[in-house]
Amino acid sequence: MTFLGMPLLPSKQRSDLPGGQGNIIEAEAFPDVSHEHLSNQQLRNTIGHATSTIRSKRAEVVSELDDWEALRDAGEATKNEVMANLPEYLAQFEEAFTAAGGIIHWARDADEANAIVTELVEDNAPVLETGRREVIKVKSMATQEIGLNEHLEAEGIDAFETDLAELIVQLGEDKPSHILVPAIHRNRDEIREIFMDKMPDAGELTNEPAVLAEAARRHLRHKFLTTKVAISGANFGIAETGTLGVVESEGNGRMCLTLPETLITVTGIEKLLPRFADLEVFLQLLPRSSTGERMNPYTSFWTGKSEGDGPQNVHLVLLDNGRTRALADEHGRTALNCIRCSACMNVCPVYERTGGHAYGSTYPGPIGAILSPLLTGVEEQGNGSLPYASSLCGACYDVCPVKINIPEILVHLRGEDVKANHSPVSSQLDAALTGASWMMGDGKRMAAAERGLPLAHKVTGGEQINALPGIAGTWTSSRDIPALPEKSFRQLWAEEEANDRDKEGQR
């Protein structure tokens, strides 16, 4: 049995719930990790060009809809309904999925999910002459989250990614850096070198996209036609019908979902929609927000199995892996509403400059900065630093198709980090904030501090401040403080009022 949590669980008990495992943990603090990526100009140029292109496409197709904000409201309301009634919708989905011939497996965490998938593959995939088994895969965030490929490899099973970008990442022995475009950090020349080095049948290639895509197509065609087991994720699960759905742009997903004899899907428990009719909203929101298209080129749905048509062994692993913990956070649970469109990443000034690897997680960018700490807890290694990986500009909230208030959750998680990882007087920052709170809490103390401005102005020479000592140096390492004024606003206001009284008296 998997505990599904209670939405109003008191915050003091959240720490008792199991945290997530796998590729959702930042090993080091974000500021330390991001420093190296900030100095990579090629990375910044490549990501900047890609994200600006996607932003422009999204803005164009969104502007075509007069009811875009109404669609966002509907998407938000539907996902909130799911989270408020998740145990009931999961039970309804399980009943419908099982009645259609599918088999559901419940996984508490990454270890359980990996063990379940491994056993299913061993039961259904033949051992080849190499002594190993093979599976083909549809792009899946959930399987990346749990580190499934690495686990299968250790168990003698080779998992072949069939999405072009995922294939590039896999052959390059790399990690994804974007939810939608995992190889966004690679340019065409790098991809050409990877293909020629890692594809025995590639031959001589140019860096033209069509040439590279054709090389990948030839490389994968045999796998599609001969592999007995496929592994997929799911964009949606429909509670009332037990239906699963995948949207993609290349057609590789369609072949993985229809050609093999066994299909194993791994998805988070939060991916449900109550009704099939809800797809009317989400199939407008998702493609416009993700790829800047009006609709996905390939949209596939399956409900259990059909005799003589498609996979006959249909399995679904429903994954918790910290989602119950996130659900129990009344301020942060809306992060589970995410439909993995990546729109927040494409507008984020921090992500554009650091790239996805700096977040140390399958989920980078603004959504990763809140989702990873919610799944694991801010106490987990460097995950407490992720909520600070933001300027709080609010652009992510403006573009989110289901209106997740990411800035608000970031601030909430910063507070959680302070409570969990910092004592009230354990750092210069805490001391400075305590002092500022004391000074600003009383008008007379504030006025007394302001009277020191003329002296501070003279000490700094009336110039902007480029460097400060101690903890404040972290701020000035990337920002300048404007020149301090000679007088405070209160002093200027008092002088102006005095001048007005003098003028009035002279009349």
Side-chain angles (χ1 to χ4, degrees), residues 320-383:
D320 188 328
N321 203 38
R323 286 158 175 80
T324 292
R325 185 188 183 108
L327 184 69
D329 188 324
E330 61 180 310
H331 301 291
R333 72 168 64 106
T334 54
L336 294 176
N337 292 357
C338 176
I339 59 175
R340 309 292 192 266
C341 70
S342 77
C344 62
M345 301 166 62
N346 299 326
V347 299
C348 178
V350 176
Y351 173 84
E352 186 173 325
R353 287 158 178 79
T354 65
H357 292 157
Y359 295 81
S361 169
T362 295
Y363 306 108
I367 187 62
I370 61 173
L371 187 58
S372 296
L374 284 165
L375 293 176
T376 66
V378 293
E379 304 87 356
E380 183 64 53
Q381 296 192 46
N383 278 13

Side-chain angles (χ1 to χ4, degrees), residues 38-110:
L38 283 168
S39 62
N40 188 334
Q41 190 60 49
Q42 178 179 308
L43 174 73
R44 294 178 64 173
N45 290 342
T46 301
I47 292 181
H49 173 72
T51 53
S52 64
T53 299
I54 299 172
R55 281 200 305 269
S56 298
K57 291 176 62 179
R58 175 201 170 276
E60 183 177 350
V61 295
V62 164
S63 67
E64 297 172 350
L65 298 181
D66 294 333
D67 62 344
W68 177 251
E69 290 305 317
L71 285 169
R72 292 181 71 209
D73 289 338
E76 177 191 28
T78 301
K79 293 301 291 185
N80 285 344
E81 177 187 348
V82 171
M83 298 312 147
N85 303 280
L86 187 56
E88 292 81 3
Y89 281 129
L90 284 168
Q92 182 184 11
F93 178 86
E94 180 182 34
E95 181 179 358
F97 187 86
T98 304
I103 301 173
I104 283 186
H105 311 263
W106 298 86
R108 294 181 182 88
D109 52 37

Side-chain angles (χ1 to χ4, degrees), residues 52 70 91 105-106 133 143 149 154 164 177 204 229 269 298 301 309 318 333 354 367 376 428 436 438 457 485 494:
S52 64
H105 311 263
W106 298 86
R133 294 178 169 87
T143 60
N149 286 11
L164 179 56
S177 63
E204 187 64 33
V229 177
I269 56 176
Y298 293 89
F301 294 102
D309 182 16
L318 280 169
R333 72 168 64 106
T354 65
I367 187 62
T376 66
Q428 297 177 51
W438 176 83
H457 177 81

Side-chain angles (χ1 to χ4, degrees), residues 72 76 331-332 334-335 337 370 394 396-398 400 402-412:
R72 292 181 71 209
E76 177 191 28
H331 301 291
T334 54
N337 292 357
I370 61 173
C396 50
Y397 181 33
D398 292 339
C400 178
V402 290
K403 302 183 73 172
I404 301 171
N405 194 334
I406 294 177
E408 186 176 86
I409 300 175
L410 286 167
V411 173
H412 161 64

